[in-house]
Each structure stands twice: as structure tokens, then as C-alpha cells.
Amino acid sequence: MIDIPELSLVVLIGASGSGKSTFARAHFAPTEVISSDFCRGLVADDENDQSASADAFDLLQIIAGKRLARGRLTVVDATNVQPESRKQFVRLAKEHDVLPVAIVLDLPERVCIDRNAARGDRQFGSQVIRRQRDQLRRGVRGLGREGFRGVHVLRSETDVDAARVVRTRLYNDLRDQIGPFDVIGDVHGCRAELERLLTELGYQLGPDDQGRTTSGHHPDGRRAVFVGDLVDRGPDTPGVLRLVMGMVRDGDALCVPGNHEAKLLRAVQGSNVQITHGLAESLAQLEREPAEFRAEVESFLDGLISHYVLDGGKLVVSHAGLTERLHGRASGRVREFCLYGQTTGETDEFGLPVRYPWASEYRGRAMVLYGHTPVPEPEWVNGTMCLDTGCVFGGRLTALRYPERELVSVPAAQVYYEPSRPFPVNPDAAAAGPGEAGRRDPDVLDLADVVGRRVVETAQHGRVTVREENAAAALEVMS
């Protein structure tokens, strides 16, 4: 059985006569297969005109790129026995954030020679096939190092006849799960606030034999979705992990990783990381836990998926947000964006990275819910919402009920960690300051709300697009 991701670039590799085109016809739709021979025919009216190969492969790359950009599985049918030819397809897959998969037809030399001899349109001798097979044999063991995420080798006609191609969903593809969901912002070790929020949302919490909360089930079948940053800074990172891990294990929750989980994982795995931004607190708290629990935490963190696409593609959950072209994709670049977002390369007066405002340019169909950068109040920006309301800094812990779009939050009991950048503290926090400091007055108009092309979500009419010229006219009337 050959497992391939539903969205991937499949590269067939084999000498002339190994049966690549026959295999492709048997296992893939005609529109999914791009043949180098077919492209030669398009540019030179002769599929065997080797002088047209350069133009043919340029055309093949363009077609494959267009398909991958549209999220379509693409199969390349060419010999691809040379590393240089394979390298361009690995690079193409990386450019479009999909996984490259190699299917190698390494059939016996005599089979390839006999098949070519039976084809009147092939006018080259056995030495060509012998050379191609030698090149293939030298490179097949290194396909993984070249960047192919899946390598499948068929060595006989029996292997080819028995092969079955199975398309598998990417781990981030949960479009079949429609909810309802409760998407919860950054917890940062605030176990007491998390328990209060879950109770407010209607979850029934359950203790283990030591009285620690380890489960949360909703009687109406709702599921919690955590946007990451469960750990660091707060007073009870182990308690938060114990509860969330239990809910995920029981099927009552989903969780994506935050940048703090990524750093904690590297630390517990022995990597040399800077013990900053609350990591010291997490490590000290976990050190007091049994080794078995620490091993469970490491396994849990290591298995977290960068982001989830839910409800038929209508909802995307990622720690730091995600632009539309990366939804449902799999690559290092996707994971990097999900964990850290985009920055301008600059730092602010507090020494923190300046975030690129990707949400202000977002025009995707999916709702994107995320956290990462604390905000005093959550607000909709082009169908996206940040749910990190700075609980650990004395703010609130916030959830969005989906699909109802209802916000539910609980105030932090105190300021657990002093932020690098001033953050407004809720009046109920033990170290409360001016609760509304730094908050935007609802009567104050932000120019960015109205200039340029905007997309507005309405309760009665769904998504409404305001063109730039109309926005400018409205601003002129108001002024």
C-alpha cells in the first residue's frame, strides 16, 4: 500500500520502459498527471523530440505550480533519474508548502529493454536504459535526504500489479469535524482561571484520585480548542497540562502548539535554549512532578499539530494566525508562521518584535482564531480574532463559542507575571491598576478601520465588501 497525502507533489521515478505512465493512468486521474512527453508534444508537436526537453520541463513546472497553488494533488511523469531533475520538484513543493513524495519503479533492466523494443516510437538503444538505471540505483537511497517526505520503491512487475495508492488526509485536515467548539486563548499556566472558564462554558470537570482536575466533558458534545501557549509564566503549568492533556485524550478537546510549547519541548529534550519569558517557572514546576508525568508531557508536546482546518474549511485555529494561502498546507514555513507569526524585523521601544499586521490584509473565506500577542479586548479584523487577552498579565482568559460567535471570559485573579510591554489589568486582579488604561474608547474612530478595501462581517447579511473608493467617500462625508 502506498500512502500519499491528499495534497502533495508525487514524483514518478524510473528508467524509460519501467511503466511510469501506465502506473499513473491506473492510480491517478488524467488531469492530475503531467507528463514530460505530453509537454514535449505541446511545445514541439513531437513527444519524442529531445531537443524540446528544456521548454517541455519549463511548461511542466508552470502547470504543476498552478495546480499546487490551487491545492490540487499533482503527479509528475518523467524519468527523474538524475538528482538535478528531482531537485527542481522538491523546490517546487517547498514553494507551495506541500509534501513531495517519490514513487520509484525500479524494474529489472530486461523488462525495460523489451518494453521499449516493442514501441516503434522509441529509437534509442539498450545503453540508454542501462545508463538511466545506473543513475537511479545510485540515487534511490538518498531520496529522503534530497527532501522527499515519502519514498516508495517497486522492484518487480508483481510489486507494481499489487500496488494500491491510498490518499491520506494531512494531520491538520479536520474539515469533517463541524463542532460546536469553544476556542480558548493563551492560558500560560493559569489553571484556576481555566477551570473557571470551562465551568462557565458548561464543561463538567472531573478529578483524578488525588483530587487534581484531569478531565472536562461538555454534556452537549461541545469541544474545547486551545490556541497554544498553555505553559510558562503562570503559577501552575503542570495543572494546566494535566487538564488539557486529559481532555485531548478523552476527545473533549483539540490543541495546537504555541511558541512557548515549542521552546519548552526543546528544553526538556536537552537542547540549549535561553531560560527566559517564563520558561524557568515551567521547568521548576515540572521538576517537582514524577518522571512519568514529565515523559507524558514531552510526548504530548511533540505530537501537537501546527494548525487545524475545521468545519468544512470554515474555521482555522492556529497559535499566531495564518494567511489563507497556508491553510491546510504542511511545511516548515507553515509551522514557523503558526508558532511565531510574521514580524517586520524591527523591535519596539520595549525590545519586542514588531508584528506584521497580516490580519488587516486577510481576505480569506475561513474564520481564523488565534492568540500569541495579548490584546486588551478581542475584536474582529476581516474575519479573524485574537483571543489572547493577557490572563497571566492580569487581564482575562477568553473563549469564543463557535459557531455562535459569542465571547465568554473570566478575569485573572491577579497579575502573575509582569509584561515587558504595559498591559491593562482587569479591576478584579489582586494587583489591579487602572482597568481601562490603554483601551480604545468605542466612540473613537481608528482611521485603519475605514481606509482601503475592507471586509465587514454582519449578523444579517454575512460578509460585505466595501471597496476602497466607497470607503474614501464615506470618510469624506463623515468629516
Side-chain angles (χ1 to χ4, degrees), residues 181-186 194 197-198 200-201 203 222-227 369 378 385-389 396-402 405-410:
F181 302 111
D182 298 305
V183 185
I184 299 175
D186 301 36
L194 176 58
L197 179 61
L198 288 170
E200 184 76 15
L201 290 166
Y203 289 80
R222 302 184 70 90
R223 299 174 74 188
V225 185
F226 294 91
V227 305
L369 300 178
M385 178 176 281
C386 178
L387 295 172
D388 180 2
T389 46
R396 305 179 71 85
L397 184 60
T398 298
L400 180 85
R401 291 166 55 88
Y402 176 93
R405 296 180 173 231
E406 298 173 0
L407 287 168
V408 179
S409 67
V410 297

Side-chain angles (χ1 to χ4, degrees), residues 315-328:
L315 173 64
V316 171
V317 178
S318 163
H319 175 63
L322 199 61
T323 57
E324 185 177 33
R325 68 174 299 271
L326 301 181
H327 293 178

Side-chain angles (χ1 to χ4, degrees), residues 20-288:
K20 299 181 299 299
S21 298
T22 302
F23 183 88
R25 284 193 297 270
H27 297 284
F28 302 99
T31 54
E32 294 176 325
V33 181
I34 310 172
S35 163
S36 59
D37 289 345
F38 178 72
C39 290
R40 283 192 195 94
L42 287 177
V43 299
D45 294 326
D46 182 355
E47 293 188 356
N48 294 302
D49 185 353
Q50 297 301 312
S51 69
S53 292
D55 289 337
F57 275 94
D58 286 345
L59 177 60
L60 192 155
Q61 289 262 340
I62 292 171
I63 298 173
K66 293 295 185 183
R67 286 187 57 83
L68 295 175
R70 296 181 66 85
R72 301 294 181 182
L73 183 140
T74 303
V75 181
V76 175
D77 175 11
T79 56
N80 294 314
V81 294
Q82 297 177 332
E84 293 75 15
S85 62
R86 297 189 294 267
K87 186 183 300 183
Q88 62 183 331
F89 295 118
V90 172
R91 183 170 59 247
L92 184 65
K94 185 176 181 179
E95 288 173 1
H96 292 278
D97 302 285
V98 301
L99 300 178
V101 177
I103 300 179
V104 182
L105 281 74
D106 185 16
L107 270 63
E109 181 180 301
R110 175 46 55 186
V111 172
C112 298
I113 292 174
D114 290 346
R115 286 178 177 177
N116 270 321
R119 294 181 58 177
D121 58 344
R122 295 294 167 99
Q123 302 299 321
F124 50 80
S126 60
Q127 71 278 3
V128 174
I129 294 174
R130 198 168 290 118
R131 184 173 65 251
Q132 291 176 346
R133 293 193 72 254
D134 288 343
Q135 292 172 324
L136 172 61
R137 288 294 180 87
R138 288 196 298 269
V140 69
R141 291 185 178 179
L143 291 175
R145 293 191 298 272
E146 289 181 15
F148 287 96
R149 298 294 294 274
V151 178
H152 308 275
V153 182
L154 306 175
R155 301 191 183 278
S156 68
E157 292 177 278
T158 301
D159 288 349
V160 174
D161 292 340
R164 186 164 63 95
V165 174
V166 177
R167 305 185 188 204
T168 58
R169 287 188 173 187
L170 292 173
Y171 293 130
N172 58 36
D173 184 359
L174 298 183
R175 288 174 294 177
D176 59 325
Q177 301 189 26
I178 61 174
F181 302 111
D182 298 305
V183 185
I184 299 175
D186 301 36
V187 182
H188 278 301
C190 299
R191 177 191 54 79
E193 286 80 359
L194 176 58
E195 291 182 4
R196 292 202 336 258
L197 179 61
L198 288 170
T199 301
E200 184 76 15
L201 290 166
Y203 289 80
Q204 298 171 348
L205 306 183
D208 62 7
D209 55 4
Q210 299 183 45
R212 300 171 303 191
T213 306
T214 57
S215 65
H217 177 74
H218 200 289
D220 297 333
R222 302 184 70 90
R223 299 174 74 188
V225 185
F226 294 91
V227 305
D229 276 7
L230 306 172
V231 305
D232 293 352
R233 296 173 172 158
D236 194 358
T237 282
V240 170
L241 287 169
R242 190 173 285 111
L243 173 53
V244 174
M245 289 163 55
M247 293 180 68
V248 171
R249 180 191 61 239
D250 296 339
D252 291 310
L254 298 167
C255 182
V256 298
N259 56 301
H260 283 263
E261 279 81 39
K263 190 174 183 181
L264 175 60
L265 176 62
R266 295 197 304 273
V268 299
Q269 290 178 335
S271 297
N272 183 20
V273 300
Q274 292 186 343
I275 310 300
T276 56
H277 302 297
L279 178 58
E281 287 80 354
S282 289
L283 292 175
Q285 293 164 17
L286 287 170
E287 189 61 32
R288 296 191 288 269

Side-chain angles (χ1 to χ4, degrees), residues 373-379 386 388-390 395-396 398 409 422-426 435-440:
T373 303
V375 295
E377 294 286 350
E379 61 178 359
C386 178
D388 180 2
T389 46
R396 305 179 71 85
T398 298
S409 67
F423 188 84
V425 178
N426 82 80
E436 295 300 317
R439 300 189 183 213
R440 179 169 142 192

Side-chain angles (χ1 to χ4, degrees), residues 433-464:
E436 295 300 317
R439 300 189 183 213
R440 179 169 142 192
D441 191 308
D443 294 328
V444 174
L445 178 66
D446 189 325
L447 187 62
D449 291 339
V450 293
V451 297
R453 180 177 178 270
R454 312 302 293 173
V455 178
V456 181
E457 293 284 349
T458 67
Q460 300 299 324
H461 300 288
R463 186 182 299 231
V464 176

